[in-house]
Each structure stands twice: as C-alpha cells, then as structure tokens.
Amino acid sequence: MIKLGVNSVLFKEFDFATAVRHIALSGYDGVEISAIQGMCEHLDLTRWKEQAAELRSIVQDQGISFLSMEFGSVKDEQRLLSAFEAAAEIGIPIVNIGPGGKTGVEEDVQRSIDQLNRMSEKAASFGVTLCVKAHVGQAIHDTPTTLRAMSEVTSPAFGIDMDPSHIYRANENPEAALPAVISRVKHVHIRDCKGREQGPGPIELQACGRGDINLFAYCKAMADHSYDGPVVLEVIGAKPEHSLAQISIIAAETYGYLNACLKQLNAR
C-alpha cells in the first residue's frame, strides 16, 4: 500500500512537534523530516544524537512513522554520512538528495553520477536507501538524465525520487515519464504547480489538485506499475506570514485529494 506523508519543510516556521501533530491530524501515515541546511533543519545533523530520542517520541506519540529525510544538495559528503548515521539510528529508511550542478553541463552530470555511486555504497553500509530526483536547473533535470543515472549507478541502495512537478517543469508529462523510470523509483515527492515556469509558485498552488499537472493520471501510472513506496507532499516557500491554519489546510487538502485518487485506483 502506498503511504502518504508530508515533508516537514512545509512547517518550516514551526517546531517539529507542531508539524507532526498537524500532519497526523490531516490523516497522513508518516512524515519526511527536513534536514535542508539553510532552509529548514528540523533535524540538525550537527547534533542529531541529542535530538534522536525526542524525534522518535514525537512521531510515535502521534501514531505515524518516519518515511524519509530530505537532505538537499550535497556540498559536504561528511555531512551526508552523518545523515546516513542519523537515519539508521532514528529509523528513517530513505535519505533524499538533490543532484546539484547545472543543466547542460556534462562535467556536472558526471560529477553527480560519480557522487551517487560513491554515496549509495556508503548508504548501503548503514542500511538506508539514497534517492535522487530530477531537479529543474540542476545536472539531473529530466527523464533522459535520470535514465543515465539509473544505468550508471548500480547499487541496490540507490533509488529515484520521482517528483512530477520537476518533470512537468522540464516540459514533460509526468504520467508518461513515470513508466520509464519506475523500476528504480523508491520515493515520490509530490506537489502541483501552475504553468511550467522554473519556480514551484505560491504555496497555495502547490496543494495537489490546484495546479495544471494531471496528478490523477500520475497516480494511475503509479498504481498501474504497482508502486508501493512513500508519496510525500513537498511544498517549498512557506513564510512567517503564513499561519499554521494556512499551512495545515494545504496539507489536509492534499491528503484528501491523493487519498481519494489512490483509493479509487485500489492503491490505498
């Protein structure tokens, strides 16, 4: 069964306990904890050992589970090793990273693939899975570059985090692109967007069902190919002026949309 979750970056202006409580109230099965340096560090990898017991308790008390961790782009491999160690200790099965680099720069594509090879082997030693997603503007940015990474990174601890909004903004239709990569998809970041511009847009329009992506067709493609991993709402751009109610509405609205789609498709 597909599990639904929310990346805690949506609640970046609030503490992790508040985020998890409202994620659970919205109906979700789990949470992706944000460890994105400079944006949202609900998990602070410089002191994760101090946080570990409290983070586990917060999640357990709300009756949900850790689905994943978002690390961000890798500038410091030692920090990523700390993420693997923290994930193994806390019970987080997947660490998601961005590919880094720039679109259209061959050296950056190769550098990203080399890093994925190296770090997925490290992830395996900790018993966790390392996932990367195609990201607008970065080295791996569309289906062809994703397929190249899939062909060159062979570790079973490596997977694809297939985010339909980035594929849509790369001028592809995600529901048509998913089958090509589904064999290695181990995580899905999901959100909607209006248009194919580079940025994800206002947070309200990232709620699933409010934008232009055919997310029902994307859900059908997941179901048709028997995907049963996490599907995690990732909304970027929350600001101090966004109230807890506004943030929670985005989470709850998306849960209702995705849960209804997936139930109709017998995937939940």
Side-chain angles (χ1 to χ4, degrees):
M1 184 188 78
I2 288 174
K3 291 186 175 180
L4 294 176
V6 178
N7 187 321
S8 69
V9 71
L10 174 59
F11 293 84
K12 67 190 289 287
E13 301 300 330
F14 303 92
D15 62 36
F16 186 64
T18 299
V20 170
R21 179 168 181 268
H22 288 80
I23 289 167
L25 285 170
S26 298
Y28 287 91
D29 306 300
V31 60
E32 176 175 37
I33 191 166
S34 177
I36 308 170
Q37 199 167 33
M39 181 184 291
C40 175
E41 294 181 80
H42 283 136
L43 175 58
D44 182 346
L45 292 170
T46 65
R47 59 180 193 91
W48 69 264
K49 291 180 181 179
E50 301 169 34
Q51 292 183 287
E54 181 185 13
L55 295 175
R56 280 195 301 265
S57 177
I58 287 169
V59 169
Q60 290 167 2
D61 287 351
Q62 294 299 328
I64 64 173
S65 61
F66 280 109
L67 299 178
S68 49
M69 174 203 309
E70 184 164 20
F71 179 88
S73 292
V74 183
K75 299 179 179 68
D76 179 354
E77 291 188 2
Q78 190 58 48
R79 183 173 179 269
L80 184 55
L81 289 175
S82 294
F84 295 155
E85 185 181 6
E89 177 65 27
I90 296 169
I92 303 170
I94 294 169
V95 176
N96 289 310
I97 65 170
K102 292 184 178 180
T103 295
V105 180
E106 167 59 23
E107 292 82 359
D108 286 358
V109 178
Q110 193 57 57
R111 186 181 302 111
S112 181
I113 289 171
D114 290 345
Q115 185 176 66
L116 290 168
N117 262 312
R118 188 167 57 251
M119 300 313 291
S120 59
E121 293 297 337
K122 299 289 188 183
S125 71
F126 286 97
V128 301
T129 296
L130 176 66
C131 287
V132 71
K133 72 177 176 183
H135 192 293
V136 170
Q138 296 189 15
I140 297 169
H141 67 283
D142 60 2
T143 299
T145 47
T146 301
L147 288 169
R148 179 173 167 188
M150 288 169 57
S151 71
E152 295 185 33
V153 185
T154 58
S155 171
F158 170 74
I160 299 300
D161 172 23
M162 213 297 198
D163 183 328
S165 77
H166 281 278
I167 296 299
Y168 184 78
R169 288 181 285 132
N171 293 313
E172 300 180 59
N173 291 324
E175 66 274 18
L178 180 62
V181 300
I182 192 67
S183 64
R184 299 290 291 280
V185 174
K186 298 184 179 181
H187 190 278
V188 169
H189 273 144
I190 200 162
R191 61 172 171 241
D192 216 330
C193 64
K194 284 282 191 182
R196 297 184 188 262
E197 66 277 2
Q198 185 157 348
I203 64 169
E204 294 82 4
L205 297 182
Q206 295 177 52
C208 291
R210 289 205 191 187
D212 295 333
I213 305 175
N214 189 345
L215 289 176
F216 180 79
Y218 188 78
C219 288
K220 186 176 186 302
M222 287 193 289
D224 287 348
H225 291 84
S226 302
Y227 176 73
D228 64 354
V231 174
V232 172
L233 174 66
E234 183 200 28
V235 173
I236 299 295
K239 298 176 181 176
E241 56 264 33
H242 291 120
S243 69
L244 183 57
Q246 287 175 287
I247 296 298
S248 300
I249 286 167
I250 291 167
E253 181 178 336
T254 291
Y255 177 82
Y257 178 92
L258 291 176
N259 190 52
C261 289
L262 293 169
K263 278 193 169 184
Q264 185 174 343
L265 296 162
N266 296 314
R268 275 179 69 77

